[in-house]
């Protein structure tokens, strides 16, 4: 038995352990310090509004840059703005997008699923983030949310400009005052689809009219369809059901008249979900500082299918 070699090995091991013990505090201290001092810019967060509902939001980019706030359509989430968030982040803007109550990662509330509360939730988010001179961009239902928010909460320098893309204002429902609107049974069909088989309904919409994939020669993206389904199924069936009334029956006429910042209306003339004749073509007549851009053959979800066209046009409006 070679005791000298065994002793040598034990001596080396003991010395090594001593070195680790001495070095350990300096190795663990930076991690502990980082944990104790959280980042001032986490990239996402939650704001709790007055009725206790938690609103999830993303907040990317430099704090000092002009903020752009994106408002998604029904029944989606802030993820629907991926192509815009990355584009404008690269252009140096601060980009913010939230999940409307009942949608995405926000609380699956059974109350407050109407436009006044949606707008109040945005006001709470804007106050939480201390937004000034923001540009608000809304698609479809989100366009209605933008109109109501800017009209009621956008004063005092909070809002610089607004954009409504394929948006529901002035009002979608056919009424005596809006004879060109869609009949109530169209929206009853939406509610029936949500209640009966939401999972299938949320496949049929993106696979068909939303992105124009039902048109002859359309280039269909299964990934886009799957992503729409994924976002929709994250939300609350109750909130989605209630939101149909919010996006179809809310009258935004007075909101559009009240807005005094520049507003860009962007609409595809092949929008099968929010027909242009009863939305943008009427809304432009109500705005004090409105501009209308019509896109030939573009579908409702054109911010996704034609982001290469929509994003540069948005940028030009922002810089004008």
């Amino acid at each position: 038995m070679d005791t000298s070699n065994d002793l040598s090995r034990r001596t080396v091991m003991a010395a090594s352990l001593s070195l680790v013990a001495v070095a350990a505090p300096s190795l663990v201290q930076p991690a502990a310090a980082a944990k104790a001092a959280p980042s001032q810019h986490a990239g996402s967060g939650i704001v709790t509004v007055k009725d206790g509902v938690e609103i999830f939001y993303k907040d990317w980019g430099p704090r000092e840059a002009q903020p752009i706030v994106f408002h998604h359509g029904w029944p989606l989430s802030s993820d629907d703005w991926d192509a815009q968030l990355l584009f404008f982040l690269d252009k140096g803007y601060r980009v913010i997008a939230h999940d409307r109550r009942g949608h995405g990662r926000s609380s699956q509330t059974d109350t407050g699923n109407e436009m006044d509360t949606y707008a109040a939730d945005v006001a709470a988010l804007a106050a939480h983030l201390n937004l000034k001179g923001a540009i608000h961009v809304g698609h479809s239902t989100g366009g209605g949310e933008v109109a109501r928010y800017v009209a009621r909460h956008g004063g005092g320098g909070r809002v610089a400009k607004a954009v409504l893309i394929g948006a529901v204002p002035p009002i979608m429902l056919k009424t005596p005052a809006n004879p060109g609107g869609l009949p109530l049974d169209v929206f009853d069909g939406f509610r029936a689809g949500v209640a009966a088989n939401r999972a299938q309904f949320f496949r049929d919409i993106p696979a068909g009219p939303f992105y124009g994939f039902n048109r002859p020669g359309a280039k269909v993206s299964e990934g886009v369809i799957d992503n729409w389904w994924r976002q929709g199924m994250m939300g609350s069936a109750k909130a989605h059901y209630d939101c149909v009334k919010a996006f179809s029956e809310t009258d935004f006429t007075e909101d559009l008249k009240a807005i005094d910042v520049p507003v860009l209306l962007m609409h595809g003339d092949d929008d099968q979900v929010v027909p242009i004749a009863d939305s943008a073509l009427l809304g432009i007549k109500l705005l004090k500082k409105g501009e209308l851009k019509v896109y030939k053959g573009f579908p409702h979800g054109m911010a996704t299918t034609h982001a290469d066209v929509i994003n540069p046009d948005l940028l030009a409006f922002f810089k004008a």
Side-chain angles (χ1 to χ4, degrees):
M1 181 175 181
D2 189 347
T3 57
S4 62
N5 285 342
D6 184 54
L7 180 61
S8 176
R9 284 195 295 270
R10 281 183 290 169
T11 302
V12 171
M13 288 176 64
S16 298
L17 290 172
S18 297
L19 287 171
V20 169
V22 171
S26 63
L27 291 173
V28 300
Q29 281 178 349
K35 186 175 181 180
S39 169
Q40 295 301 307
H41 181 204
S44 66
I46 295 287
V47 58
T48 303
V49 298
K50 64 180 182 181
D51 63 352
V53 169
E54 295 183 334
I55 303 297
F56 171 87
Y57 66 89
K58 304 173 188 181
D59 182 6
W60 303 343
R63 306 297 84 191
E64 67 277 8
Q66 184 173 25
I68 311 171
V69 184
F70 294 91
H71 306 242
H72 64 80
W74 176 94
L76 304 174
S77 74
S78 56
D79 294 353
D80 198 44
W81 291 109
D82 285 354
Q84 285 69 47
L85 296 178
L86 294 176
F87 179 88
F88 287 103
L89 181 65
D90 183 62
K91 299 299 181 183
Y93 288 89
R94 177 183 180 183
V95 294
I96 298 158
H98 67 291
D99 294 355
R100 188 173 300 113
R101 65 168 55 212
H103 296 64
R105 289 141 293 205
S106 293
S107 297
Q108 292 206 0
T109 177
D110 62 343
T111 59
N113 301 308
E114 36 73 27
M115 282 294 167
D116 287 351
T117 303
Y118 294 161
D121 290 346
V122 176
L125 174 63
H128 176 71
L129 298 177
N130 193 30
L131 301 182
K132 301 290 185 183
I135 301 167
H136 286 261
V137 181
H139 174 241
S140 196
T141 300
E145 182 177 274
V146 168
R148 177 98 356 139
Y149 166 75
V150 175
R152 299 193 178 182
H153 306 280
R158 295 181 183 88
V159 177
K161 294 181 178 180
V163 182
L164 310 184
I165 304 176
V168 298
I171 179 172
M172 290 192 71
L173 184 68
K174 181 178 182 179
T175 67
N178 185 44
L182 297 172
L184 183 62
D185 60 11
V186 171
F187 305 109
D188 286 341
F190 274 76
R191 282 181 278 264
V194 170
N197 188 347
R198 184 170 64 133
Q200 185 59 52
F201 190 48
F202 284 5
R203 290 285 302 180
D204 295 341
I205 294 173
F210 198 93
Y211 295 111
F213 291 160
N214 57 344
R215 294 305 197 203
K219 184 179 179 181
V220 177
S221 169
E222 293 297 331
V224 166
I225 295 169
D226 290 346
N227 192 40
W228 201 102
W229 184 91
R230 175 191 67 83
Q231 292 178 69
M233 295 305 293
M234 287 171 66
S236 159
K238 177 64 165 66
H240 292 164
Y241 188 95
D242 292 349
C243 188
V244 174
K245 181 180 179 68
F247 74 65
S248 64
E249 299 185 32
T250 304
D251 189 342
F252 299 98
T253 299
E254 296 306 317
D255 298 300
L256 296 180
K257 290 179 179 178
I259 296 173
D260 60 4
V261 298
V263 180
L264 174 63
L265 302 182
M266 309 173 81
H267 220 105
D269 69 0
D270 193 33
D271 191 323
Q272 302 171 68
V273 178
V274 181
I276 188 173
D278 195 50
S279 52
L281 297 186
L282 298 180
I284 191 62
K285 300 175 184 178
L286 301 171
L287 291 163
K288 298 173 184 175
K289 302 175 183 178
E291 176 186 347
L292 173 63
K293 288 187 72 71
V294 178
Y295 296 84
K296 184 173 178 56
F298 281 22
H300 187 60
M302 63 185 185
T304 295
T305 58
H306 295 79
D308 60 327
V309 176
I310 299 303
N311 289 350
D313 284 356
L314 285 171
L315 182 62
F317 176 69
F318 297 166
K319 289 185 171 182

